[in-house]
Amino acid sequence: MSEIPAKATGSEDPSDGARTEAAGDAAADVRRGATGGSALSSSGSFSGAGRHDIGFGSDEAPPYDAMWQSSPPGSIYDYIKVASFSIGPDGLVDQWSLRAEQLFGIPAEHAVGMDPIEAFIDSDLREQGQRKMAEILDGREWTGVVPFRVPETVDGEGGREGLAEVYVMPTRTEEGEKAAVCIVVDVRTLRSIETDLAASQAIFGQSPFGFLLIDPDLRVRRANMRFASLFGGTPDDHRGMGVSDYLPRPEAERVTATLRRVLETGDSITDMHVTGFLPGSDERRHWSINLYRVHSGSGRPIGIAWLGTDITARRAAAREAAAARRNLALLNEAGARIGNSLDLETTARELLDVVVPGFCDLATVDLYQGLLAGDETPPGLADGSAELRRVAFASAVSDAPLPGSGDPVPVGAVHHFSFNSLCADALRTARTQSIPPEEGGLVQSTLAVPMVAHDTVVGLAQFARTKGSEPFGDRDRDLAVELAARAAVCIDNARLYRREHERALILQRSLLPPGDPVASGLDIACRYLPGNSSADRPSEVGGDWFDVIELPGHRTALVVGDVMGRGLRAAVAMGELRSAVRTLALLDLEPAEVLSALDEIARGLGAPGGVQQATRAARRPREADLSEVYLATCVYAVYDSVTRRCTFANAGHLPPVLVEPGEDALMLDVPPGMPLGVGGEPFEEVEVELPEGALLALYTDGLVESRDHPLDEGLQAFVGALTDPTLPLEDVCDHVLNTLDSHHGEDDIALLMARVQGLPADSVGDWTLPREPRSVGKAREYARGQLLTWDLEPLVDTTELLVSELVTNALRYGEGDIRLRLLLDRTLVCEVWDSGLVQPRRRRARDTDEGGRGLQLVGLLSAAWGSRRTPRGKTVWFELPLPDGETGPTDPAEALLSLF
């Protein structure tokens, strides 16, 4: 009459344990039935009902294993709480199952013999409960929901309240007495299951994502409406379909392998990207798939949950964002790498280094030939077919020509585009053109982008992508225009800089001595290298200069200087100082006096009022404005070819280097002094006798100093390079420049080298005359005799006349003994020395004057004349050119008549 009681076993599955325990409890029931309370009659009725439910006919016995086997895991009894107990004829509990123990928490030894109404029903409902119990024992079935309270046991447990759905079935004992079997279900657990099922159904059915439940055979067990709306049909139409029914074969095989791995290992898969097509569409779609294994209540795997999201738009947005980031990175790289050099060709190559292969596979840059030649305005803007030079080419695949360009054009070649070509149209209209690919060619997409800077087209850049690469789109077109524009601005800046640099260089070279300087008693060689002559990075012109100035008496002034700073400002300052040096040298001042005067001039260059204003300002205490200060270093040397003595004065410059025959080179100990423009300090002179054949070198710091070579190392290297002074001077200069690091291009280089070749003794006539009238005649005799010795008879008359005038002036206005000296070199020089300090002054005599025409006569008959101070007086000199056989000297008679 009662259920088969349960007995706990070691099974992990609750349902399996319940069924196993039921078999054990059946034996217990048989034992209890023998003592009163048997269930055999109910067992017979229960058995018949079981055969009907299982499906076997009444005449055939079910197989033993089919009738008593354990149901597979996942039964409903794994989720709901169902218990049973029986009530005897006395209304007391006479049997109590293990499930009842689990549901009510009361063991069988306490429950058997209890009145269920008194034990579980509240006091206010007990009267109604007793009536229901009487009806049940009277043979009536009853089903209802009953609130219950678990009574407290001896050990203090219980008192818990609950709600149970009870199904009471009347039974009879063996003695025929009426009893009942009660089946109890925990209503709260049942309602929780209902809520969970409803929530699961809502989530599955209302999810905006594609939801699939895949069985262990990797077939669709269930699909939601969202999935069916994408792939067509109803959710039931997808039942039993496999992955290969939705995805292409390679993708389906990959997903199937992933599903098997999830089913076997239980590892979840998150954000797996799957690619496929929707039915009736050729558009490639992308999905993000999440997979996880689903288990039954007993923990047995029953399938895989598939949650898919369409990420096609997100992928497209990600590609757009990636392209935007790539373009931005390319622009940043272009900004960092393009324009680092102020050279047109280098800038074009920098553009191609950026775009190949990051943006395209092939690229070229063509610039107008006129632009490279230095024309003010690039030609060819009217028809776009003017001459261009290919200055750069880059390829990541091969040297294949670009479409529409005809034969390949090598780098450096001059060419032009035909008038009707798209490239010419791009140049003509300043608009980007897309060039169609050639049949069978390697290139599939080409952009011809004009390079425009300040509304001027300077050239054309072509970018090409080969087959296999993505063709150019609108975004790529905009990026190409931006890259070309940036490069065009840099190229235009380089063009402007090149123009200004060339102008400054022309100015600077115009301020230097033209050709090879010539000096008496010296063999001269010089070199000047501007700062960018040997460097990849152009720099501004500097203020380095040198000069060779011929002085009276076959003397020569050697000058080397360096204005601090660069650019036109330094070049102009250098020109002013060089002009001042030449002017001061013609005054025949001593080297220290020349540098002192130059110092005043340099201080006046930065003052609006000139030298005097700068001198006054220097006396007032104020902070110096460094932007207006002109500083320069200079070494000034005067060489006398007769005595072979050289006098040096130095204003903060590097020391001269002397190489005597058979000796090592050495740096002369010349006090450096302060740079020009500082002021306040005198300059010292040093006189050195130079042996015949000695080599003298003057230079600027650009020759011996650079970032990689300190000054001391450069000086030692320079001294070490001057090993053989007997070589031709031109070879010595080339050897020095090739030996030293003269190609750094950081500063200008000026090098002046002179080999000593003193005036021979037989080219000098020197006499001392007493201070008496007879000395005039003696002077004419000495002059005539010396000129005849030199075979200069055509100059005898003129020389006698001029010597007579100068000696006469020395007798009348000078002091002390008179010295007459004749020097023969490239010209004839006559000098008259005396101890007087008064300098002769030329004046114009009136028609009625009897004298005052001597110096006028000297000026008429000589090529040049003048006077200079000496340590012990003065020297008056004149110079006559040597006869060349074509033109003779001026006739003295005609010169005399011209004075009247």
Side-chain angles (χ1 to χ4, degrees), residues 806-873:
L806 295 185
V807 173
T808 300
N809 285 341
L811 287 172
R812 294 181 63 182
Y813 305 109
E815 299 176 3
D817 292 338
I818 300 171
R819 180 184 178 188
L820 173 64
R821 189 169 73 168
L822 295 178
L823 307 176
L824 177 62
D825 191 44
R826 291 178 292 109
T827 61
L828 176 65
V829 175
C830 177
E831 297 177 338
V832 177
W833 304 50
D834 68 81
S835 301
L837 299 178
V838 178
Q839 298 290 326
R841 183 172 61 89
R842 181 180 176 180
R843 66 183 181 86
R844 180 174 294 276
R846 294 188 294 269
D847 295 342
T848 58
D849 290 343
E850 295 182 358
R853 295 180 177 85
L855 293 181
Q856 292 186 30
L857 185 62
V858 173
L860 287 173
L861 295 179
S862 64
W865 78 278
S867 66
R868 69 177 185 273
R869 289 180 298 173
T870 63
R872 290 183 296 272

Side-chain angles (χ1 to χ4, degrees), residues 584-585 587-601 636 649 676 682-685 869:
L584 295 171
L587 295 177
D588 217 347
L589 302 177
E590 296 297 325
E593 295 176 339
V594 171
L595 292 186
S596 297
L598 277 179
D599 181 55
E600 292 290 334
I601 293 173
Y636 185 87
L676 302 178
F683 298 97
E684 300 183 31
E685 292 181 356
R869 289 180 298 173

Side-chain angles (χ1 to χ4, degrees), residues 265-524:
T265 65
D267 296 335
S268 301
I269 300 297
T270 303
D271 196 24
M272 181 179 75
H273 289 190
V274 178
T275 303
F277 301 90
L278 293 177
S281 174
D282 294 333
E283 181 184 0
R284 184 179 296 274
R285 310 291 292 184
H286 301 272
W287 294 279
S288 173
I289 304 300
N290 298 315
L291 303 173
Y292 59 92
R293 192 170 67 181
V294 181
H295 303 84
S296 66
S298 62
R300 181 179 66 88
I302 61 174
I304 301 171
W306 169 308
L307 182 64
T309 305
D310 192 335
I311 60 172
T312 303
R314 191 174 74 188
R315 284 284 295 269
R319 285 197 302 270
E320 290 291 325
R325 288 193 298 269
R326 183 175 63 253
N327 294 348
L328 182 60
L330 199 62
L331 289 176
N332 290 336
E333 183 182 5
R337 297 179 61 180
I338 299 176
N340 293 326
S341 171
L342 288 173
D343 181 77
L344 281 75
E345 291 83 355
T346 302
T347 303
R349 288 192 296 269
E350 289 171 347
L351 170 63
L352 300 195
D353 291 341
V354 171
V355 300
V356 178
F359 177 69
C360 60
D361 301 317
L362 294 165
T364 63
V365 174
D366 299 302
L367 299 180
Y368 278 115
Q369 176 66 13
L371 179 83
L372 298 172
D375 292 347
E376 185 68 22
T377 303
L381 298 180
D383 58 3
S385 58
E387 287 187 343
L388 300 104
R389 183 193 301 173
R390 179 144 299 174
V391 296
F393 171 82
S395 172
V397 288
S398 69
D399 294 336
L402 297 176
S405 60
D407 296 333
V409 178
V411 175
V414 177
H415 67 103
H416 64 87
F417 298 108
S418 62
F419 180 81
N420 295 324
S421 65
L422 292 175
C423 292
D425 186 65
L427 290 170
R428 184 167 51 250
T429 62
R431 296 179 180 177
T432 303
Q433 299 292 334
S434 296
I435 302 178
E438 295 178 350
E439 188 68 25
L442 179 66
V443 176
Q444 72 160 344
S445 181
T446 303
L447 292 177
V449 185
M451 305 179 71
V452 183
H454 307 122
D455 298 328
T456 301
V457 178
V458 299
L460 183 72
Q462 297 185 69
F463 309 111
R465 290 179 179 175
T466 58
K467 293 181 178 178
S469 301
E470 185 178 356
F472 290 114
D474 293 338
R475 187 186 296 274
D476 297 325
R477 190 186 186 99
D478 296 338
L479 178 61
V481 172
E482 178 66 23
L483 291 172
R486 292 194 178 193
V489 171
C490 295
I491 288 174
D492 192 59
N493 291 339
R495 177 183 69 87
L496 296 176
Y497 178 83
R498 173 182 289 186
R499 184 188 65 186
E500 297 302 323
H501 179 75
E502 290 176 351
R503 291 178 178 178
L505 195 59
I506 291 173
L507 171 63
Q508 188 179 36
R509 289 190 181 277
S510 67
L511 299 175
L512 295 175
D516 296 329
V518 179
S520 177
L522 291 175
D523 184 12
I524 302 292

